[in-house]
Amino acid sequence: MLLITCPWCGPRDETEYHYGGQAHVPHPESPACLTDEQWAAYVFYRDNPKGPFAERWMHSTGCRRWFNVLRDTATYEVLTTYRLDEPRPGGTR
């Protein structure tokens, strides 16, 4: 079981949260101009690294806010959490 710290509510059990996928994925400027292949790449294809990875989570049974979690995909350790308006600590991905 993971202990995830909501930036607004503090540490809570992972059962209070909803996973939202990879963080920091920019929305296309002109979605209508994309080919089907480009749109499919935006919607379905995400990074799958071994190590630190930025993810989006929502505190679904608490404040219902979205935030980012930097989690190690090899160890499942939560390295840090941060609000959507904050940059990712320690670089990109």
Side-chain angles (χ1 to χ4, degrees):
M1 195 68 61
L2 294 175
L3 184 64
I4 301 173
T5 301
C6 173
W8 296 274
C9 304
R12 302 289 194 274
D13 187 83
E14 74 175 295
T15 58
E16 291 193 17
Y17 298 96
H18 177 78
Y19 178 77
Q22 183 177 348
H24 310 294
V25 177
H27 191 273
E29 288 185 28
S30 302
C33 297
L34 297 179
T35 66
D36 289 344
E37 291 80 15
Q38 291 169 323
W39 183 250
Y42 166 71
V43 172
F44 298 111
Y45 293 99
R46 296 292 181 253
D47 295 336
N48 188 20
K50 181 177 182 180
F53 186 59
E55 305 168 331
R56 293 189 61 169
W57 288 74
M58 183 184 61
H59 193 179
S60 54
T61 63
C63 62
R64 302 191 57 79
R65 292 182 179 181
W66 286 94
F67 61 95
N68 293 324
V69 173
L70 188 60
R71 185 177 64 86
D72 190 308
T73 60
T75 64
Y76 296 105
E77 178 186 4
V78 174
L79 304 172
T80 190
T81 60
Y82 54 103
R83 298 186 325 256
L84 297 180
D85 62 347
E86 297 176 319
R88 177 187 167 181
T92 60
R93 192 185 308 152

